Each structure stands twice: as C-alpha cells, then as structure tokens.
Amino acid sequence: MNNSGKPLFPGLQTALNIESISSLLQEVLDRESHQISILEGKIRDIKYNPDKEYVLLYRFKLKNRTTTRNHEQLLTAKIIRKDATLPDDPSKKGTTRRRNPEKPWVHKPVIILPGHKIVLYPFPNDIKLPWLIDAVNPYVIKERLNRTSIFQKTRVRKIKVDLLGYIPHMRASFLYEILLENRDTNQSEWKQVIGKTDCFKSPDRLFAGAWALWKAGEERIGLARPLGFIMNPRLTLQEKIKGERLGVLTHSRSFNTIIRNTAHAIARLHSLSFPLKKTRELKDEIRSIERWSNVLAAISPDMKKRIESLCGNLLPEFERRMIIRGPVHADFHHTNVFVDGTNIYLIDLDEMAYGDPGLDVGRFLSSLRIPSLRTFGKINGLADESELFLEEYLKIRPDNVQNIRLFESASLLTAAASSFRLQRPDWENEAHLLIEEAENIFNSAKGHKNITAVMFRQKYPQIAARDCLHWALDETYMRAVLSAVVRKEYDAELLSCKVLKIKKISSGHYVRYKIYGRRQDKKWKAELDGLVSNRENGQSVFSRLSLVKKSLQHTGAFLFLPQPIAYLPEITTIII
C-alpha cells in the first residue's frame, strides 16, 4: 500500500506488517503470563477511508503451551490518528464487562499499544457492537429464546455457537445449533439457525422486510425462512439452508442450469410487490461510487487518473438513467446464491430495498469475474455464462441492456477495491484487471440516447391498497413493525401481536390489535388501533391528528381524542 507511511497515522505501517503486530501482541501475552504462543497471523479485512479511518481485522492461530491446545482468535485493530488521543484502558478502571461462558484466551478486552497508537480489541469485544458478547454466549441466547414465541410449544435446552462471519464495527453472523424439547411429549431435536446482527440496522425492521419477502415469494423463489428476532442482543434469526455457494460450482456439469435458474430467481424477486422500509436512491449509488473510487485512487496511484475519469463518467450517467422501480436484493453477487442440486436460494438480503433492478443484474454479472479468475486464471472465463444469465433474466424482466452495463461497470469498480479490502494475495494485479474491465464495460454502455429516468418522488413506491390491508392483518409482520413503536411509547418489549377485529370504513379499514410483551421484566399487554388508509395522504392525516391532539392538551379542554402514535408509510397505516 503506497501511502502506508503517512504521518497522520503513525501506527499504520506497523499494523499492516503481520510480523510486527504479532511480535507486539506476543509481548503483551507474555506480560500477562498467559502461556499463549502465536503460531501465525493473517490480515483478513481492512476498512479503509483515506485520511479518516483505518480498521484491520486479524486472525491469529494461538497455542496454549501448557495444554498444547490450539485456538483461532480474531482481533480488530483501530489505528489512531496522530492528532487524536488514545482511549482509556477499561481494565484499569475495573469496568470490564465480560459474560463469556468460557475463559478467554486473550484476557484483556482492550489492548493498547501507545508507542504505535494502535488499539486492539479481541473478539467478541467491539466498541460499535457491544452486544456481541451476549450474542456468542449460549446461556444468554438460551434465556432470550425461551422468553419469546419463536419456537412455539418447545423449550430450548442447549445451544452451541459458531461464528460464521464478522466485519468489525459493522456486522456478524452465527450458526446456532439448538437442542429443542417439545413441552408436551418431551421429545428432543437439534435445529440449525443462522443469527445475524448489524450495527446500523434494527433487527425488527430487518425481520419485517425478510418476512414480507418470504411470504410474497415463498412459492416462487428459494429463500431461507425467517424465524424471528431478538432486540437484546440485536439478532435476526432464520433457518439454515443446505447447499453450496454458486462460485465453487463453476466446473459442475449443471452450471448452465444453475445460472439459468439464478436469473429466473432474481427476476421473480424484482417482479414482487411487498412493503419495504428502505429505498436505494441515486444519492446512495453516487456515494458508493465516489467512496470506492477514492480508495482505489489512494491504493493505486499509478491508475489514479483513469479511476477519476471513470468515476466522472459514471456519475452523470447514473443521474440520467437510474429509475427506482421495485424491490432489489442490493447485494446480489455469486457468493449470495446458494445451490442445492439445481435449486437456487437467495441469501444475505439485509441490504434489500426499493431500487433499480439493474443494480442486482449488473452486480451479479461483475461478480462472475472473481470465480473466473480463481478457476480459469482469466477475467472472461465465464463470459458465455454471463451472457446466458442476462438472456434468461431479460426473458422474464425486459430491460435496457446498456443501463445494466452501467451498473456492471460501477460494480467492477467496487470489486477492484474489495480485492484490497479482503487482502487477496494478488490484489494489486486483480484490481488493475477489474478497473480495465470496468472501463471496457462502461464504453459498451455509452451512447444510449433519449432516456428519461424520473426518480420516484415518494419515499416508498406504493403497493396496492388491498395489499396494505393484507400486511396490516399479518400478525407476524405487524409484531415486527410495531416493535419500535411499543418500545418508544411504552418502554416495553413486544413479544406477540393478535388481530382482534377488522371493520371497513369510508377511508379504508379499521383494525384492532391486542399486543403482549414484557415491561420492567413483568408481563404486559395493551390494545392498539390501526387505520389502514386507501388514500396516499396518510402521512398528512397523521400529522393533522397529532397537531390537534397536542393543541387540545395545551388548552385543557375536556375532549377525548385518540392518540396517534405512529405512521407506517409502507402500508399507509396510522397506529392509534
């Protein structure tokens, strides 16, 4: 990395040298008398924001010299700027929070290397994801699950936890192997469940979107069934599906069939109508292109002018062509497709939003360059399969090919930066190849005239009024979307939601809900009303009701009006 000697981050050069950081860590372990030796270490991930932030993830292989046992330990390194102060050592204040069931191999929750301005956090300690300590604790998860109704008529007897993936300060995923016992028959069974946590996304909202997709597409698309969510620790839970990732099947005789079925699956997802909270807007795409362009220009200064030129060409084209038309996966690449035989399952849908379908198609096409490089040693080794995917997709969802190529070019730019982020052995050469490919694809996307891409003015693409009522009557969905409302208004944890009655009114439908939960560790219940509007001005109605209620409270008038507490724009529903 060419700018590693920047004085703004004096510890960066040391952090990027695995031998240096291993030596420093070993000194700390020896001072603590842990009898722990470092056998080897690798950099697994780099979060890099030029001149602003450097966060590295290491994986160390450790050995206990007393027991001769080996152990793999993740450590996050945060590089502190020269003009910033080091954090306080929590262990010196006696404020260390640790509830791990097993004695940790690295005792200190925070390791500070003051001479290098580097701070190390042994997993599961993470300053942005403090609940990880509970998420990997089987006793905590067991207690939380037994408080919910996720596994009805059963009790959780035992849990085994394995870490599947981790990006520091952002997200993590786990495999929970759960021993369930039927409350009536006492029969036991093991169940495998995937748990996910995200620093920025609330689990109730993630589950609401996943549940809506699963209900809308369960007979048309292969998906993992969403099981539920836990607010503390912040986890969404889904069934584990069988299969292999698409990228490892390039030599399979049925690979063309797999590619064809993958195209059909994502096309069907784009054709669905269901409520979503998030929209992938033009500004999000521009921010992503600019961010990764800056990273690439910093790590590959010899290509800086080409990268800046490509970025400058991409941005106005996105402004001209991008159209938000419906649901998109928003992180659709070959590693997010699971294959069981020829059955296709779409996974990792946490970025799902309303957006331009070209985002998914272009991203998938660009991602096939990586298994092509791994398998065939060249970037276009899966060119025929890419064309087959596009051809099959367009049969179901006709679209402008040049617009798709535009997204493909931008995704290749992102993939070039990812090679550095993941510290692939040949990342510099790989980045150069991907940037060159991005330029070629952009050239094929140019020249399309008379495109009138008009962004949706509303924040949420509208679903039909009958569909709004359908979701307002879905008790699982409503439990998820009302969770934040109940937390804010009643300081309670919502555990279940029941529909008591429904009535047609002039402006739509009236629905009565009975909700159950816990508040201050005691059982709690209440009733809420929902007004499912068949108009598009639900937000303005909610605002007027709130204003009138507030005005009457100030006047002291003895006139009782319902208290509006939330508006759910995805399903045009006012909660009272």
Side-chain angles (χ1 to χ4, degrees), residues 272-281 323-328 353-356 455-464 467-468 536 569-572:
L272 296 175
S273 175
F274 59 95
L276 282 170
K277 179 75 171 177
K278 183 181 176 183
T279 302
R280 181 89 177 196
E281 300 179 13
I323 309 174
I324 298 175
R325 285 173 282 171
V328 296
Y354 291 124
D356 189 320
M455 298 290 291
F456 279 97
R457 297 303 177 189
Q458 70 269 25
K459 191 173 183 180
Y460 307 96
Q462 294 292 303
I463 61 176
D467 291 334
C468 291
E536 295 183 2
E570 312 95 297
I571 56 173
T572 61

Side-chain angles (χ1 to χ4, degrees), residues 120 140 143 186 263 302 369 377 441 503 523 545:
L120 299 173
V140 171
E143 185 269 333
N186 293 330
D302 58 315
R369 269 64 167 204
I441 295 298
K503 179 180 178 182
K523 290 184 178 180
L545 280 173

Side-chain angles (χ1 to χ4, degrees), residues 549-576:
K549 180 69 175 180
K550 186 175 181 180
S551 300
L552 288 173
Q553 287 176 337
H554 286 304
T555 62
F558 291 97
L559 178 62
F560 293 97
L561 288 180
Q563 172 67 54
I565 59 174
Y567 177 62
L568 308 176
E570 312 95 297
I571 56 173
T572 61
T573 297
I574 298 171
I575 301 299
I576 296 174

Side-chain angles (χ1 to χ4, degrees), residues 25 42 57 113 135 154 198 206 242 274 280 322 412 423 450 452 481 513 547 574:
L25 179 60
K42 293 181 179 179
L57 177 65
L113 306 175
T154 62
D198 192 287
L206 284 173
K242 297 179 181 179
F274 59 95
R280 181 89 177 196
M322 182 174 164
L412 284 163
Q423 285 291 282
N450 302 320
T452 55
V481 295
Y513 301 101
L547 184 61
I574 298 171

Side-chain angles (χ1 to χ4, degrees), residues 284-490:
D284 300 313
E285 300 304 329
I286 290 176
R287 187 185 302 118
S288 177
I289 294 170
E290 290 179 331
R291 176 194 171 197
W292 291 111
S293 295
N294 290 336
V295 170
L296 282 168
I299 63 177
S300 303
D302 58 315
M303 300 188 71
K304 183 176 180 181
K305 289 185 178 179
R306 291 172 62 183
I307 294 165
E308 290 177 345
S309 175
L310 179 59
C311 178
N313 289 327
L314 282 168
L315 296 184
E317 291 299 317
F318 266 85
E319 292 178 358
R320 193 163 67 94
R321 303 192 196 187
M322 182 174 164
I323 309 174
I324 298 175
R325 285 173 282 171
V328 296
H329 185 293
D331 192 23
F332 187 61
H333 47 78
H334 69 278
T335 61
N336 280 341
V337 178
F338 251 53
V339 183
D340 183 15
T342 56
N343 295 322
I344 300 300
Y345 296 89
L346 308 184
I347 65 169
D348 289 349
L349 288 131
D350 294 348
E351 299 296 324
M352 185 172 56
Y354 291 124
D356 189 320
L359 169 67
D360 286 344
V361 184
R363 180 73 185 277
F364 183 82
L365 292 173
S366 73
S367 76
L368 289 180
R369 269 64 167 204
I370 302 303
S372 174
L373 281 169
R374 301 288 177 273
T375 306
F376 306 107
K378 55 184 180 179
I379 205 163
N380 59 353
L382 293 173
D384 291 342
E385 289 78 5
S386 295
E387 290 304 312
L388 174 63
F389 174 86
L390 184 57
E391 179 184 331
E392 291 295 323
Y393 175 85
L394 294 173
K395 287 179 182 178
I396 298 177
R397 290 278 299 182
D399 206 340
N400 183 277
V401 174
Q402 288 174 307
N403 285 355
I404 290 172
R405 296 302 184 195
L406 184 69
F407 281 100
E408 184 180 3
S409 177
S411 295
L412 284 163
L413 194 67
T414 301
S418 295
S419 296
F420 164 75
R421 183 179 68 83
L422 298 174
Q423 285 291 282
R424 293 183 180 127
D426 195 26
W427 71 261
E428 290 179 284
N429 181 55
E430 195 171 285
H432 279 66
L433 287 172
L434 291 170
I435 291 168
E436 183 177 359
E437 188 76 352
E439 292 172 328
N440 294 335
I441 295 298
F442 175 77
N443 288 332
S444 71
K446 290 194 300 184
H448 191 63
K449 306 296 184 183
N450 302 320
I451 300 174
T452 55
V454 180
M455 298 290 291
F456 279 97
R457 297 303 177 189
Q458 70 269 25
K459 191 173 183 180
Y460 307 96
Q462 294 292 303
I463 61 176
R466 65 178 181 276
D467 291 334
C468 291
L469 178 62
H470 168 78
W471 295 109
L473 297 177
D474 187 307
E475 295 176 343
T476 301
Y477 177 79
M478 289 304 296
R479 184 240 159 172
V481 295
L482 288 176
S483 179
V485 177
V486 169
R487 203 160 53 246
K488 177 183 176 182
E489 294 295 326
Y490 304 105

Side-chain angles (χ1 to χ4, degrees), residues 17-27 38 40-41 60:
N17 187 313
I18 194 64
E19 288 78 16
S20 297
I21 203 71
S22 296
S23 177
L24 291 169
L25 179 60
Q26 186 66 68
E27 290 178 12
I38 299 174
E40 64 179 18
F60 288 101

Side-chain angles (χ1 to χ4, degrees), residues 166-365:
Y166 173 55
I167 299 180
H169 305 348
M170 292 184 66
R171 56 183 176 267
S173 58
F174 314 92
L175 172 63
Y176 294 115
E177 294 191 75
I178 304 174
L179 180 62
L180 297 172
E181 182 182 86
N182 187 290
R183 295 180 186 274
D184 298 327
T185 65
N186 293 330
Q187 290 184 330
S188 299
E189 66 167 331
W190 284 96
K191 191 176 188 67
Q192 292 187 318
V193 173
I194 302 296
K196 294 184 177 182
T197 186
D198 192 287
C199 178
F200 307 103
K201 302 179 182 72
S202 179
D204 47 357
R205 297 305 318 190
L206 284 173
F207 177 78
W211 178 260
L213 169 62
W214 189 78
K215 291 293 287 184
E218 61 179 315
E219 295 180 358
R220 303 179 61 194
I221 308 171
L223 299 163
R225 180 187 175 96
L227 296 176
F229 63 93
I230 305 172
M231 291 306 302
N232 182 25
R234 294 162 55 107
L235 285 171
T236 55
L237 301 171
Q238 64 186 46
E239 286 186 343
K240 183 182 183 299
I241 56 177
K242 297 179 181 179
E244 298 179 275
R245 295 186 187 269
L246 182 147
V248 303
L249 298 171
T250 51
H251 282 308
S252 169
R253 292 182 178 180
S254 59
F255 192 65
N256 279 1
T257 301
I258 292 168
I259 285 290
R260 186 178 291 110
N261 292 346
T262 302
H264 296 169
I266 195 63
R268 291 180 186 125
L269 186 150
H270 292 160
S271 303
L272 296 175
S273 175
F274 59 95
L276 282 170
K277 179 75 171 177
K278 183 181 176 183
T279 302
R280 181 89 177 196
E281 300 179 13
L282 174 63
K283 63 181 181 181
D284 300 313
E285 300 304 329
I286 290 176
R287 187 185 302 118
S288 177
I289 294 170
E290 290 179 331
R291 176 194 171 197
W292 291 111
S293 295
N294 290 336
V295 170
L296 282 168
I299 63 177
S300 303
D302 58 315
M303 300 188 71
K304 183 176 180 181
K305 289 185 178 179
R306 291 172 62 183
I307 294 165
E308 290 177 345
S309 175
L310 179 59
C311 178
N313 289 327
L314 282 168
L315 296 184
E317 291 299 317
F318 266 85
E319 292 178 358
R320 193 163 67 94
R321 303 192 196 187
M322 182 174 164
I323 309 174
I324 298 175
R325 285 173 282 171
V328 296
H329 185 293
D331 192 23
F332 187 61
H333 47 78
H334 69 278
T335 61
N336 280 341
V337 178
F338 251 53
V339 183
D340 183 15
T342 56
N343 295 322
I344 300 300
Y345 296 89
L346 308 184
I347 65 169
D348 289 349
L349 288 131
D350 294 348
E351 299 296 324
M352 185 172 56
Y354 291 124
D356 189 320
L359 169 67
D360 286 344
V361 184
R363 180 73 185 277
F364 183 82
L365 292 173

